[in-house]
């Protein structure tokens, strides 16, 4: 079970909070084990948009598989940010030290900085306060012109809508690209990523187009990328000829359907290998009958 706890600060921006919350809530609706909680230092928090929110005062028990998210708030400068108590900052530090993940949206990076979690790590925030974040936390490596960064279970995003990208990245990391695609489609958003980020998923990179036929074909591939899906069957499923599907797919994504499927398999296999799986086991898990194919694809990528 993954517990997602949102730390609410006075003046919190609604979309900074609602975007990631919607992603994890939608993922839970599709059967993934997410539970959402909301914690604050006072029982009621008024958002930057004037909506009062009720939050709990006590932190739930958290483990290594759980996540704390600090949404951003309205402030002219980070120096004007609401002060967080030492007990709250300790919760952030202790959760990360215990193997958990912490994340921020927009100015929420300041809270992670106050907790000492940005020192020596890559991070980002809204472009209006990036320079100030670097000055306030000189040990941090502030990265500009990216939607989000991930460094040693400290994940920061640029703000507002990029919190959705951050949450989709986490869903894709833990449950695979098909799960993230399913959530993005449910939310009617493009599952977008910044091209400079090494975590950028092929599924997300190649979804920023408007061809509904290709989207439907991608939905089928995403859902069963680890199983054979011949081009004739794929084309028939979306109601076009093989030649038309290949042409539309290439124009929208720059790939053939087979190459897209292989890319999804490769990225999932890389994730499994990074978590201790052998190449042979990873190859079987993602649908390669011969591990040599995975080795060739990995070598080609390198």
């Amino acid at each position: 079970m993954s517990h997602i706890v949102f730390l609410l600060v006075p003046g919190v921006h609604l979309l900074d909070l609602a975007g990631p919350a919607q992603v994890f809530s939608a993922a839970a609706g599709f059967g993934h084990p997410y539970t959402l909680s909301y914690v604050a230092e006072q029982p009621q928090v008024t958002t930057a948009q004037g909506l009062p929110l009720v939050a709990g005062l006590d932190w739930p028990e958290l483990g290594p598989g759980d996540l704390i998210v600090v949404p951003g708030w309205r402030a002219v400068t980070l120096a004007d940010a609401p002060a967080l108590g030492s007990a709250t900052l300790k919760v952030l530090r202790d959760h990360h030290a215990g193997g958990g993940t912490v994340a921020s949206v927009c100015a929420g990076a300041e809270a992670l900085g106050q907790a000492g979690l940005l020192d020596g790590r890559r991070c980002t925030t809204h472009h209006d306060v990036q320079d100030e974040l670097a000055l306030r936390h000189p040990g941090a490596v502030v990265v500009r012109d990216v939607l989000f960064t991930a460094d040693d279970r400290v994940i920061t995003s640029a703000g507002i809508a990029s919190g959705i990208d951050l949450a989709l990245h986490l869903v894709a990391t833990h449950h695979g690209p098909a799960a993230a695609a399913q959530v993005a489609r449910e939310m009617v958003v493009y599952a977008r990523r910044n091209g400079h980020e090494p975590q950028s998923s092929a599924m997300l990179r190649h979804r920023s187009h408007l061809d509904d036929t290709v989207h439907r074909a991608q939905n089928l591939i995403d859902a069963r990328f680890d199983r054979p899906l011949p081009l004739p069957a794929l084309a028939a499923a979306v109601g076009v000829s093989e030649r038309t599907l290949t042409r539309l797919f290439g124009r929208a994504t720059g790939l053939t359907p087979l190459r897209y499927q292989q890319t999804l398999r490769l990225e999932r296999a890389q994730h499994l290998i990074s978590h201790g799986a052998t190449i042979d086991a990873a190859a079987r898990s993602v649908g390669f009958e011969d591990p040599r194919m995975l080795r060739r694809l990995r070598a080609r990528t390198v």
Side-chain angles (χ1 to χ4, degrees), residues 122 124-125 130 143-149 158 194 196-197:
R122 299 169 70 254
T124 195
T125 187
Q130 286 176 348
V143 183
R144 289 150 172 87
D145 299 323
V146 295
L147 291 177
F148 66 87
T149 65
N194 187 293
H196 298 292
E197 285 302 303

Side-chain angles (χ1 to χ4, degrees), residues 237-261:
V238 298
V240 297
S241 69
E242 297 172 43
R243 178 178 295 181
T244 297
L245 178 59
T246 300
R247 176 176 54 82
L248 294 176
F249 210 100
R251 186 173 64 189
T253 70
L255 302 173
T256 65
L258 176 60
R259 184 64 181 272
Y260 177 72
Q261 182 185 39

Side-chain angles (χ1 to χ4, degrees), residues 9-298:
V9 174
V12 61
H13 277 298
L14 273 176
L15 189 54
D16 282 14
L17 166 63
Q22 182 73 31
V23 169
F24 293 119
S25 177
F30 288 122
H32 300 295
Y34 290 115
T35 298
L36 279 60
S37 296
Y38 305 88
V39 173
E41 293 184 331
Q42 51 278 321
Q44 181 171 297
V45 172
T46 302
T47 71
Q49 290 70 39
L51 179 69
L53 302 176
V54 176
L57 297 177
D58 298 321
W59 286 86
E61 184 175 344
L62 298 175
D66 299 326
L67 169 70
I68 298 176
V69 181
V70 187
W73 51 80
R74 173 175 290 168
V76 177
T77 68
L78 294 178
D80 298 325
L84 290 173
S86 58
T88 298
L89 297 178
K90 185 176 185 300
V91 170
L92 295 176
R93 284 193 298 271
D94 289 350
H95 179 60
H96 183 265
T101 301
V102 295
S104 66
V105 183
C106 195
E110 169 64 17
L112 305 190
Q114 290 180 22
L117 295 174
L118 301 185
D119 292 346
R121 295 190 174 97
R122 299 169 70 254
C123 62
T124 195
T125 187
H126 193 279
H127 53 80
D128 284 347
V129 292
Q130 286 176 348
D131 290 340
E132 187 185 3
L133 184 70
L135 288 173
R136 289 176 62 82
H137 305 287
V141 181
V142 179
V143 183
R144 289 150 172 87
D145 299 323
V146 295
L147 291 177
F148 66 87
T149 65
D151 191 336
D152 186 28
R153 293 176 287 105
V154 175
I155 307 176
T156 57
S157 64
I160 313 300
S162 67
I164 296 173
D165 300 281
L166 178 154
L168 287 171
H169 160 69
L170 290 171
V171 171
T173 297
H174 289 96
H175 305 293
Q182 189 178 33
V183 171
R185 195 137 179 99
E186 171 76 10
M187 292 176 62
V188 198
V189 299
Y190 287 126
R192 58 200 183 281
R193 296 294 182 91
N194 187 293
H196 298 292
E197 285 302 303
Q199 302 89 357
S200 184
S201 161
M203 178 275 294
L204 298 174
R205 286 198 305 272
H206 298 295
R207 279 282 184 167
S208 294
H209 61 81
L210 300 176
D211 193 311
D212 189 61
T213 298
V214 177
H215 275 305
R216 286 186 283 119
Q218 287 178 292
N219 288 344
L220 292 171
I221 298 172
D222 294 343
R224 49 178 298 181
F225 69 92
D226 58 344
R227 287 168 280 172
L229 188 57
L231 181 61
L234 183 63
V238 298
V240 297
S241 69
E242 297 172 43
R243 178 178 295 181
T244 297
L245 178 59
T246 300
R247 176 176 54 82
L248 294 176
F249 210 100
R251 186 173 64 189
T253 70
L255 302 173
T256 65
L258 176 60
R259 184 64 181 272
Y260 177 72
Q261 182 185 39
Q262 287 181 335
T263 303
L264 293 182
R265 287 181 171 186
L266 174 61
E267 290 191 344
R268 183 59 179 167
Q270 297 280 45
H271 174 74
L272 294 173
I273 291 168
S274 71
H275 284 71
T278 65
I279 292 179
D280 286 8
R284 289 192 299 271
S285 178
V286 301
F288 289 120
E289 293 183 3
D290 188 342
R292 288 176 296 182
M293 174 60 77
L294 176 57
R295 290 187 173 91
R296 283 196 293 269
L297 290 174
R298 295 185 77 208

